[in-house]
Amino acid sequence: MHTPEETLEEILNLAAAHFKVPRQKLTPDDDFFKTLGIDSLQALDLLTRLENHFHVELPDYELQGVSDFRTLAGRIQARL
Amino acid sequence: MNQFHGQSLSWEVKDGVVELALHREPCNEIGSLTLEELEKFAAALKGMAEGAHALIIYSNMKPGFCAGADLRELYHRSQQMDRTAAAAGVREYLERIHRVMNTIDASPLTTIAAVHGVTFGGGFELALVCDLIVADKMARFCFPELRLGLIPGFGGIPRLKRDLGNAVVRDLLLTGRSFNATKAQSVGLVSQVVGEGESLRVARATAAQLKKFDRNTAIAAKQFIKPIPYDELKREIDLFCHLFAQPAVEAGLKKFVESTDAQPYLP
């Protein structure tokens, strides 16, 4: 079972690795669209990677209005 | 015509397998040009089927298999016409794409969609005409049409209903949410989930396996198990055209077209 902190940390690590951004540049309250420089299509790609990584199903409407890593981690944690 | 290289798609026949590659920027949106080339493909398919046993449809575009209808073209074209002419134009477009989809659906070839990434709307419907779907684990399937005040118009609902339980169809249709490949496999939509970048290779391996079987038996088996829901497909066109005439659609299309996001796929 992941703790909320572990979930958040894994999301940050996964996003940094996939979008080739130095991990130290990412903080939990960053707007991931801006920090990662991604559009909605790449956000869907991130969603799929996170679903595959955590083995959860996260309907895209649950991400409506979510743009920071901390809230995203909360949504995933709620389904673990 | 066993080989063709167009602006939106290409095809060739190799070792008894017809391979149709989609390659229109940014994600194979189906507009008038793609439709014309799909019609050429459908016309050539009967001849190619005589010397082949399988068809693979795949995308060369990185974002995915196909993002569906070209909504920007649909919006701009409909803006240039009065309502009656726009409605007639949409019906003609749908009838043309249905003829293509029905031809592929009824083909004696065993058909495989090798999908990755965005497989949305009309792209999802194109995959649904195939007998098998091989999905990259990064594939996502979605019917986003309700966000625009529409229903899927390329035959998606009757074909999804043919393959899956009605509850899953309602989930996809009424929530507009997307399914990843694992979820799609769990509900019976996807035949195989494979690693990133592997869907075409696995589709080719599957096509090679199919070659071992007697063609006439394979054709008989397909015809027995995969009826084409022609009546429902016609009713889908009627319902789509009815909805297209409603004011909500113009507003939905306008919002999509004017979005500052390059590809506004999130709801």
Side-chain angles (χ1 to χ4, degrees), chain B residues 71-81 257:
Chain B
L71 296 177
R72 289 185 172 84
E73 182 184 286
L74 180 65
Y75 177 73
H76 291 307
R77 286 205 168 190
S78 65
Q79 288 301 294
Q80 292 160 6
M81 302 174 186
V257 168

Side-chain angles (χ1 to χ4, degrees), chain A residues 18 33 38-49 51-52 56-61 63-65 79, chain B residues 63 118 120 137-140 142 147 171 175-180 182-183 196 261-267:
Chain A
H18 180 67
F33 285 98
I38 60 175
D39 58 22
S40 65
L41 196 66
Q42 290 164 307
L44 276 177
D45 181 279
L46 177 62
L47 169 64
T48 309
R49 286 180 195 284
E51 284 184 330
N52 289 342
V56 295
E57 192 183 329
L58 194 60
D60 15 26
Y61 51 77
L63 291 184
Q64 200 160 22
R79 288 176 175 260
Chain B
V118 171
F120 279 18
K137 69 176 185 181
M138 292 301 296
R140 284 199 90 84
C142 180
R147 297 174 199 165
D171 187 0
T175 70
R177 71 172 171 132
S178 55
F179 282 6
N180 68 23
T182 307
K183 170 77 176 178
E196 276 190 80
D261 193 329
Q263 287 153 322
Y265 291 117
L266 279 177

Side-chain angles (χ1 to χ4, degrees), chain B residues 36-49:
Chain B
E36 280 172 29
E37 293 187 351
L38 279 170
E39 286 175 321
K40 281 185 187 163
F41 174 74
L45 187 57
K46 191 176 177 188
M48 289 191 285

Side-chain angles (χ1 to χ4, degrees), chain B residues 94 97-98 122 125 145 151-157 233 236-237 240:
Chain B
L94 288 179
I97 193 81
H98 271 244
E125 294 173 290
E145 285 82 358
I151 59 164
F154 294 178
I157 301 173
L233 288 164
E236 184 194 80
I237 293 177
F240 187 100

Side-chain angles (χ1 to χ4, degrees), chain B residues 21 35 81 94-95 108 118 148 173 180 182 198 206 234 257:
Chain B
L35 176 55
M81 302 174 186
L94 288 179
E95 286 174 348
V118 171
L148 300 170
L173 183 67
N180 68 23
T182 307
E198 293 292 323
T206 304
K234 282 180 194 161
V257 168

